[in-house]
Amino acid sequence: MYHAAIIGLGKIGLTFDIPYKGRVNSHAMAYHLHPDVALVAAVGRRQEQADQLAMIAPEAAYYGDQALSTMLKSHQIDIISICTPPTIRYGLLQTVLEQSTARLIFLEKPVASGIEEAERIVALCKKHTERTVVVNLSRRWSEGAMQIRAAVRNETYGKLKKIHLRYSRGIYNTGSHLFDLVRYVAGSIEQVTVVERVPTNLDAIEDWTYSFLFTAENNDVTGYAEAFDDRHYNLFELDLYFDRGVIEMLQGGDVIRYYGTEPHPLQAGMRNLVLERDEQDVLGKSSNMGNAIAHLVHMLEAGVEPLCSLADGIYPLYVAEALNQSYARGGTSEQVNLK
């Protein structure tokens, strides 16, 4: 059995599964249900969280947020999830790296509150090469995203030409997942040009939401990310346009449609799109969080590389930085500068 612990018992750490609806959404439930993992401890801030933790994993010891060092010294831990706000990320990572036995650190996104702190985190982790940081950009654990990636890499529908994104809720919140999904399935976003800033609920914390043009994969792919106000509805959608077909990812990844082409019935030399596969309830077929924990166990058992590394986790921050620069400069074209 591998021993796991959690720092931070908010939504993603715990309460997304209170009450449990039959599909794993939190770190706590994913650890509790995995047959090769024992959730031995967790750090929270309120007695209410202790009571909720006991509902899911009564075997786990609860520690208040002033007792982190005590928890780390009291348990032999293999995996630690850090599910706190990014503003306190560096100090927590330093404590975990220096005081725990954890071989894997599972870090929630965004990795840091800004580029400067993210680079400090990279420098810190380089001093502890015996540890591995894995970032929870959750679409990487989706079976649907893996299938789309394979179709792009195998050129099932020919060469990828254009990408259309539709999203809401900020370049750090939803954007971090969206930018990484583009990188994972199609290639890194390399240049951005802001068209407009769209107001959302996250303006209050300066997590801006932009519509923007972009290029990817050595300028071979062009794209448009269209922003929407989350006070109207939430969106997370992706369309990929190939020279011989289209893939649509809708409803946050729960629906994926694959279109090929066939000769036009009336116009010689032209082709029509035709629906080949319509996959429904994709997210219900397996849990992204459950898949993530299974991947961490596989890393411990077989020494495989992380599916979402620290470098992968930091990449969306560089895209966000370029977008903020483009907006501040009146919609200039800005490079995504990976250091």
Side-chain angles (χ1 to χ4, degrees):
M1 293 290 286
Y2 297 106
H3 290 181
I6 302 170
I7 304 170
L9 294 174
K11 292 180 180 179
I12 194 68
L14 172 66
T15 62
F16 275 149
D17 285 319
I18 302 293
Y20 184 50
K21 302 176 182 65
R23 182 160 100 41
V24 175
N25 290 297
S26 71
H27 290 246
M29 184 62 82
Y31 286 132
H32 175 68
L33 292 181
H34 196 286
D36 297 325
V37 177
L39 178 58
V40 296
V43 172
R45 301 185 65 182
R46 302 184 301 275
Q47 181 58 43
E48 175 190 9
Q49 292 175 334
D51 298 338
Q52 292 171 325
L53 179 67
M55 293 168 56
I56 283 182
E59 72 280 4
Y62 176 84
Y63 293 83
D65 60 351
Q66 301 301 312
L68 173 58
S69 293
T70 302
M71 183 194 79
L72 297 177
K73 294 173 183 176
S74 301
H75 302 272
Q76 290 291 116
I77 301 169
D78 300 295
I79 312 169
I80 293 182
S81 285
I82 299 181
C83 306
T84 60
T87 51
I88 58 174
R89 201 56 60 72
Y90 181 88
L92 281 176
L93 261 174
Q94 186 174 35
T95 300
V96 167
L97 289 169
E98 293 176 353
Q99 298 184 22
S100 81
T101 59
R103 295 160 55 191
L104 296 182
I105 299 165
F106 193 29
L107 195 61
E108 270 302 320
K109 63 83 189 173
V111 168
S113 55
I115 293 294
E116 183 177 345
E117 186 183 32
E119 291 174 351
R120 289 178 64 217
I121 286 173
V122 171
L124 173 67
C125 292
K126 285 181 178 178
K127 298 176 184 178
H128 298 272
T129 56
E130 74 283 7
R131 318 294 183 86
T132 302
V133 175
V134 183
V135 179
N136 186 29
L137 287 166
S138 59
R139 267 61 181 193
R140 290 206 176 211
W141 323 115
S142 163
E143 293 183 10
M146 294 177 187
Q147 291 172 11
I148 293 173
R149 175 184 165 95
V152 175
R153 297 297 171 91
N154 296 334
E155 297 188 359
T156 304
Y157 298 101
K159 294 286 187 181
L160 179 63
K161 298 295 186 180
K162 296 180 181 294
I163 301 173
H164 183 199
L165 311 175
R166 295 175 294 278
Y167 79 110
S168 54
R169 291 191 60 76
I171 55 175
Y172 296 106
N173 187 295
T174 302
S176 61
H177 289 291
L178 195 65
F179 307 155
D180 178 68
L181 181 62
V182 171
R183 187 185 198 208
Y184 177 62
V185 303
S188 297
I189 295 173
E190 296 162 343
Q191 193 170 51
V192 299
T193 305
V194 168
V195 175
E196 64 172 343
R197 190 168 80 186
V198 175
T200 75
N201 273 316
L202 297 188
D203 288 0
I205 59 172
E206 298 187 354
D207 186 357
W208 311 115
T209 308
Y210 302 113
S211 293
F212 62 95
L213 304 168
F214 65 91
T215 61
E217 277 299 275
N218 300 315
N219 295 320
D220 288 340
V221 178
T222 60
Y224 179 53
E226 190 170 9
F228 293 82
D229 188 341
D230 67 335
R231 291 168 293 190
H232 301 155
Y233 38 75
N234 196 30
L235 277 177
F236 186 100
E237 299 184 341
L238 172 147
D239 298 334
L240 301 176
Y241 297 91
F242 305 83
D243 52 18
R244 297 199 307 273
V246 174
I247 299 176
E248 297 176 338
M249 192 197 79
L250 307 171
Q251 298 180 24
D254 203 35
V255 175
I256 303 177
R257 295 178 181 143
Y258 299 83
Y259 297 84
T261 63
E262 65 180 11
H264 193 284
L266 299 177
Q267 301 185 45
M270 298 190 68
R271 302 185 70 82
N272 280 346
L273 288 172
V274 57
L275 182 63
E276 293 184 348
R277 291 161 56 197
D278 185 359
E279 297 193 6
Q280 303 283 328
D281 192 30
V282 175
L283 298 178
K285 294 175 182 177
S286 68
S287 158
N288 289 354
M289 185 62 73
N291 293 342
I293 300 308
H295 175 65
L296 297 182
V297 171
H298 187 47
M299 287 180 65
L300 290 172
E301 290 178 339
V304 298
E305 293 297 312
L307 190 57
C308 192
S309 68
L310 180 58
D312 294 324
I314 290 173
Y315 159 79
L317 294 174
Y318 288 101
V319 179
E321 180 184 48
L323 287 167
N324 284 330
Q325 288 176 347
S326 175
Y327 181 78
R329 295 169 180 171
T332 55
S333 181
E334 299 290 336
Q335 290 293 128
V336 177
N337 294 316
L338 297 177
K339 297 178 182 178

